[in-house]
Amino acid sequence: MARPRKPLLSRDRIVEAAGALVDAEGLEAVSTRRLAAALGVSGPSLYNHFRTKDEILDAVADSVSARVDLSMFDGGQDWRGALHAWAHSYRDALADHPNIVPVLARGPGRRPAGLRLADAVFGAMTEAGWSPAQATLIGALMRYFILGSAVASFARGFVDDRAAYDPADYPHLGQAHLLAERGREVDEGAFETGLAALLDGLALQYEALKGAV
């Protein structure tokens, strides 16, 4: 009986394996040796698809960007509603893969999905009446906010130990030890509060912009 053939090595298989490694152990865990072992191939065979480890990580980052919903920019929502829906979709994608955020933070570069994302946001803002310069700033601002929210958990930065926050030293942190067990609630609430404040501020600028026309 013939042996079952191994699946052919492909870019998609490499990206999937690298993404799983990043999710489980972080960016530092990715190496051609580790990937080759996970895929059951020799290390040099990876170079038939990617020239460097950085190219592999770029592809992993772009696969995350590709999961962000952009349909809200197709014209069915006003600019504020579209940004709100997009921000949540983007954050959800990052929440599933937080270890890749540092790569995404470098910018889209030549990554196709990342460029489609930037193009959709910029196009929607200019079509809504924002100037190209303002649309660029809005896109940057949203990226800073969304990526920043995915870097780490505010709530889990505190330990579940009342003694760590002695009122004699920290008079306003008497309940800080309770934050650790409410991580998701605090982080999601902070994201929504910040997003609303950000969009409220942009709405005021937009009203002034329209009033000046």
Side-chain angles (χ1 to χ4, degrees):
M1 182 180 296
R3 292 181 179 179
R5 295 181 60 188
K6 291 182 179 179
L8 293 175
L9 189 63
S10 65
R11 287 179 64 92
D12 287 345
R13 284 193 67 214
I14 295 170
V15 170
E16 182 179 358
L21 196 54
V22 171
D23 287 345
E25 301 182 40
L27 294 172
E28 298 78 11
V30 178
S31 68
T32 54
R33 180 183 61 80
R34 292 285 304 274
L35 284 176
L39 292 164
V41 300
S42 64
S45 64
L46 300 178
Y47 295 115
N48 294 324
H49 301 276
F50 294 97
R51 292 177 298 177
T52 65
K53 185 181 83 169
D54 283 344
E55 282 193 0
I56 296 174
L57 292 176
D58 264 351
V60 173
D62 212 39
S63 71
V64 174
S65 294
R67 301 177 190 186
V68 181
D69 183 14
L70 300 176
S71 63
M72 66 286 296
F73 296 119
D74 291 341
Q77 296 191 54
D78 60 49
W79 67 267
R80 176 176 176 149
L83 283 181
H84 185 274
W86 169 69
H88 275 281
S89 178
Y90 200 173
R91 183 174 181 269
D92 288 346
L94 298 182
D96 291 336
H97 308 281
N99 290 340
I100 200 64
V101 170
V103 179
L104 285 164
R106 299 172 192 164
R110 299 175 182 272
R111 299 194 294 264
L115 290 170
R116 284 193 293 272
L117 188 154
D119 182 72
V121 175
F122 182 83
M125 295 306 100
T126 54
E127 288 173 10
W130 295 96
S131 71
Q134 291 166 324
T136 298
L137 296 179
I138 291 171
L141 171 63
M142 295 297 292
R143 279 191 72 250
Y144 298 155
F145 177 70
I146 297 165
L147 290 172
S149 75
V151 168
S153 165
F154 174 83
R156 286 189 290 276
F158 295 87
V159 297
D160 184 14
D161 180 5
R162 181 189 294 271
Y165 310 108
D166 189 331
D169 297 319
Y170 315 107
H172 305 295
L173 295 181
Q175 301 297 307
H177 66 286
L178 300 175
L179 291 174
E181 66 182 28
R182 299 175 58 189
R184 182 166 184 170
E185 177 186 349
V186 172
D187 292 338
E188 290 184 355
F191 179 77
E192 187 57 44
T193 298
L195 181 59
L198 189 157
L199 295 177
D200 284 347
L202 287 176
L204 291 175
Q205 292 185 37
Y206 189 73
E207 292 174 9
L209 171 69
K210 289 302 182 181
V213 175

